[in-house]
Amino acid sequence: MNIPKPIINILRGVPRAARSSRPRVRTDALQPWAARRPVHSTGKHSAQAAAVYATEPSIPDVPQSSNPQLAFPCLDNVEERTQKLSRRSMSGPEPSYTSGKHNTFRSHEPILLDWGGVLPRFDIAYETWGTLNADKSNAVLLHTGLSASSHAHSTPDNPKPGWWEKFIGPGAPLDTNKYFVICTNVLGGCYGSTGPASLDPTSQLPYATSFPILTMYDMVRAQFRLLDYLSINKLYASVGCSMGGMQSLAAGVIDSTRVRRIVSVSGCARSHPYSIAMRHTQRQVLMSDPNWANTRGNYYNSLPPHQGMKLAREIATVTYRSGPEWEKRFGRQRADPNRPPALCPDFLIETYLDHAGEKWCLEYDANSLLYVSKAMDLFDLGAQLQNATTERRRQNVGKLQTSQTLPHDSCTLVLPEKPYEEQDSSEDIMASEKPGLAHLDSASEDLVQGMAALRDTPTLVVGVASDILFPAFQQREIAETLRKAGNRVVTHVEFGEDRSLFGHDTFLLDLEGVGGEIKKFLG
C-alpha cells in the first residue's frame, strides 16, 4: 500500500519541527515544461502562459503545500504596466489623450450646466468632411458614443481611419458629395474637448472630480455653440448611435426649429435600469482602483487607475456584443487545451476580454468615463424631468454673472440608511405589462409630453434584436412615443438576429444594414 510520506513521518514519530524544516521540492524540476521565472518577474507573458506553475523563488515562505503554487501572469502584467508608468519622465504619468489633429472651437462665454455647475470657458474638438453649401442647409451633426473622439473619418491632416470610416464619404450613408458632416468630441470627453483632465482656469490645475456633473443636454448645448460659431442655424440632420442616439433626440427636443430630421440608432429616450446597472458596475470597479480611490480622482500627477479602467472596459465589452455571436466566435475553446486550467485568462473569451481591456485602459481618461457614463444614466426626455431642469436652470442663471459655484453647492449625497429591499414578488412582476408594447403607462405619458416637440420632425429609429445594452424594446419605445405624440413621419427598423448577432456594436459594423437605412432616410 502506498502511504503518503507525511503520514509515514507521523507514524514514525518524526518531530514536527524536523518535518517542516526539510527542504522543499522544486516544482520546476518535476515539471520541465514550466517557465523558469518568478511570478513577479518583468518578462512578457501570453494568455497561454496562465497555466504555468510558479518556480521555487516565487513561492511564499510558508509550510510545504500539497500542490505547487500557480503563476499569475495576468497580475504580472498589471505590475509591469505600473512600473512603466512610474518611470515616465514627465510631471505625471497620465497619458496625453489625443485622436490626432483636429479643429478646436473655444467658447469664451461661460456655460451653465443643468445641475448648477458652470464652466467659465470651454473647448470643443471637431472635424468636418464635405463642403458647406452657400445657404448652409446641408450640415449633418454626427453625435458619438461614450468614448469616441471627433475622428469619425480620415482627413488629409489625420489619415488614420476613423471610428465610422466606411459610413462617411462620397456615396456613403453620410454622403460628402451632398452633406457637410460635423463630428465633435463631447463636452466631458478627453480628446480635445473640455473635460475633467482639462485645466480649471481658476486653479490652473486639472478639474479632476471638481468638474461639474453633466447631462446629454449640456453636451448638445455646447455643440450648438459650435454651430453658432459656424453660422449654421439649422441642421439638415442630427445623427447619432448609442449615446449619440440620445443626443440626436435631445438636439431636437432642445430646439426643434434647428433640426430638420433625426436619426437615432441603438439609442433610447430614457436610460433603463439594466443599462444604468452595467455602467454603475463599471464606475464602481474603476473607483475601487487604489490609484483612483486614494486620490478621489485627483490622479493627474500620479499613476492613473489603469487596472480599474481595464476591468471597466471588460465589463463594457460584455454589454457591447452578444452571446450568440460569442458562441460562434469562441465557443468553449481554451487558449491552450494541452495545459492545465488557470485562474488567469484561460478560455478564448477570457483572453479576448483581457486584450480589450489591456488595449483600452490608457487610451481614455478615467474621470471622463465616470462623468460621461453618469450623464447617460441621467438621460430622460420625460416632461417632468425637463420641467424640473428648466426651473433649476432658472434658479442658477445668476452664476453666469459670477462664474463661481456657491458654497451650498457642495456635494451632500449620503447613502441610504437601509439598503433596497424587494417590494414585489416574482409573480407580480411577471403579471405586469412587458416593456416595449404599445401600452403606455403614466411614466410613458410623461415621455409623450416630453417628446411632443418632435411631432413634426421626420425621425429614423433603428434597433437591433441582439443588443443587450440598449435592447430593441427601447427603440420601439422611441417610435411608439413619437407616434403617440402625433409624429406621422417616424421610420422604425429593427434588425433581427438573422441580420446581426453583433449586439450593440452593430452600428459600427453593419454598413449595408444600418448604413443603408440611414442613406435611404436622408436621401
Side-chain angles (χ1 to χ4, degrees):
M1 182 176 69
N2 294 325
I3 302 176
K5 185 172 290 187
I7 302 299
I8 293 176
N9 288 338
I10 293 174
L11 294 175
R12 290 176 177 173
V14 177
R16 180 176 298 274
R19 297 199 303 269
S20 60
S21 61
R22 63 183 175 81
R24 286 182 281 178
V25 178
R26 289 186 60 87
T27 58
D28 56 350
L30 297 177
Q31 301 173 52
W33 50 265
R36 303 296 204 271
R37 62 165 185 80
V39 168
H40 301 294
S41 69
T42 58
K44 294 292 184 182
H45 320 295
S46 65
Q48 288 86 344
V52 177
Y53 289 111
T55 56
E56 177 71 8
S58 66
I59 301 176
D61 188 16
V62 296
Q64 177 76 23
S65 173
S66 301
N67 296 282
Q69 172 73 37
L70 287 172
F72 293 91
C74 52
L75 301 184
D76 296 344
N77 288 339
V78 176
E79 295 174 358
E80 290 172 18
R81 194 187 315 120
T82 299
Q83 292 171 7
K84 290 178 180 177
L85 290 170
S86 298
R87 290 195 295 266
R88 287 184 182 230
S89 56
M90 49 192 294
S91 60
E94 177 70 1
S96 176
Y97 306 108
T98 178
S99 60
K101 190 171 182 180
H102 55 261
N103 302 310
T104 301
F105 160 69
R106 169 162 291 185
S107 175
H108 292 280
E109 296 296 320
I111 184 171
L112 174 66
L113 306 178
D114 281 348
W115 282 96
V118 173
L119 295 177
R121 62 172 183 258
F122 64 91
D123 292 345
I124 293 295
Y126 72 98
E127 296 176 54
T128 65
W129 305 267
T131 303
L132 187 62
N133 59 15
D135 62 0
K136 301 186 177 182
S137 62
N138 68 333
V140 173
L141 179 58
L142 175 61
H143 308 273
T144 73
L146 187 157
S147 58
S149 69
S150 61
H151 194 61
H153 188 272
S154 54
T155 65
D157 291 328
N158 185 0
K160 180 181 178 181
W163 57 266
W164 231 29
E165 184 74 17
K166 295 181 179 179
F167 290 76
I168 303 171
L174 298 187
D175 189 344
T176 51
N177 288 333
K178 298 180 179 179
Y179 313 122
F180 178 65
V181 182
I182 309 164
C183 185
T184 78
N185 179 224
V186 297
L187 190 68
C190 59
Y191 293 127
S193 294
T194 296
S198 304
L199 291 182
D200 180 340
T202 300
S203 68
Q204 291 301 307
L205 295 173
Y207 279 104
T209 46
S210 67
F211 196 77
I213 290 292
L214 289 168
T215 69
M216 292 293 116
Y217 294 115
D218 294 327
M219 297 174 184
V220 172
R221 289 190 188 96
Q223 291 172 327
F224 280 2
R225 291 271 189 100
L226 169 63
L227 295 182
D228 292 341
Y229 167 75
L230 298 174
S231 300
I232 297 173
N233 297 321
K234 192 164 189 175
L235 292 168
Y236 181 82
S238 174
V239 178
C241 308
S242 185
M243 184 183 83
M246 300 174 171
Q247 294 176 337
S248 65
L249 293 167
V253 170
I254 290 176
D255 189 351
S256 60
T257 66
R258 198 159 195 175
V259 179
R260 284 190 175 91
R261 50 185 60 77
I262 290 172
V263 175
S264 179
V265 179
S266 295
C268 64
R270 53 183 175 176
S271 284
H272 288 261
Y274 178 83
S275 302
I276 294 172
M278 296 310 297
R279 288 188 289 266
H280 161 78
T281 305
Q282 294 171 52
R283 289 193 297 270
Q284 290 294 296
V285 165
L286 170 53
M287 291 190 291
S288 295
D289 186 313
N291 293 331
W292 195 97
N294 293 341
T295 64
R296 291 301 190 265
N298 291 273
Y299 50 78
Y300 293 102
N301 288 318
S302 57
L303 289 174
H306 55 90
Q307 181 62 2
M309 283 291 280
K310 176 184 176 180
L311 297 177
R313 185 62 171 187
E314 292 187 34
I315 296 170
T317 302
V318 172
T319 70
Y320 293 157
R321 307 305 272 259
S322 79
E325 180 213 348
W326 284 353
E327 285 288 347
K328 290 178 174 290
R329 189 173 177 183
F330 303 112
R332 287 184 44 77
Q333 295 182 71
R334 293 176 55 217
D336 188 346
N338 296 318
R339 294 286 180 87
L343 298 180
C344 279
D346 182 28
F347 284 93
L348 282 184
I349 182 59
E350 293 177 311
T351 64
Y352 167 77
L353 293 174
D354 186 71
H355 174 72
E358 192 78 27
K359 178 182 177 183
W360 192 77
C361 66
L362 294 175
E363 291 185 357
Y364 195 72
D365 180 53
N367 283 333
S368 284
L369 176 61
L370 296 177
Y371 277 86
V372 177
S373 68
K374 190 65 180 183
M376 295 177 72
D377 292 353
L378 295 170
F379 184 64
D380 183 351
L381 291 176
Q384 183 176 351
L385 180 60
Q386 288 190 52
N387 293 337
T389 300
T390 299
E391 176 58 23
R392 189 166 54 249
R393 290 181 64 83
R394 186 190 66 77
Q395 295 175 0
N396 289 319
V397 72
K399 295 180 181 180
L400 290 174
Q401 277 68 52
T402 61
S403 296
Q404 294 179 353
T405 302
L406 300 179
H408 66 264
D409 283 341
S410 60
C411 180
T412 57
L413 175 67
V414 294
L415 295 176
E417 294 182 1
K418 293 179 61 177
Y420 172 80
E421 295 179 359
E422 294 289 347
Q423 304 294 322
D424 301 317
S425 67
S426 57
E427 291 82 3
D428 292 337
I429 293 174
M430 293 303 296
S432 63
E433 291 284 348
K434 294 181 181 179
L437 300 179
H439 169 78
L440 295 173
D441 57 17
S442 59
S444 295
E445 289 294 347
D446 175 62
L447 199 58
V448 170
Q449 296 175 29
M451 297 179 71
L454 303 179
R455 65 170 61 89
D456 298 320
T457 307
T459 304
L460 171 64
V461 183
V462 179
V464 179
S466 59
D467 189 342
I468 63 172
L469 183 58
F470 286 75
F473 81 81
Q474 296 184 13
Q475 291 82 55
R476 292 196 293 270
E477 179 179 58
I478 296 172
E480 292 296 334
T481 301
L482 287 172
R483 289 168 181 152
K484 186 72 174 179
N487 192 323
R488 297 293 177 262
V489 279
V490 178
T491 303
H492 175 226
V493 179
E494 184 174 315
F495 295 119
E497 291 189 0
D498 58 329
R499 173 74 213 181
S500 176
L501 293 177
F502 298 109
H504 190 61
D505 275 356
T506 296
F507 77 87
L508 294 170
L509 305 170
D510 190 358
L511 178 62
E512 180 182 352
V514 173
E517 293 295 336
I518 293 174
K519 185 175 184 178
K520 181 169 59 176
F521 176 78
L522 294 181

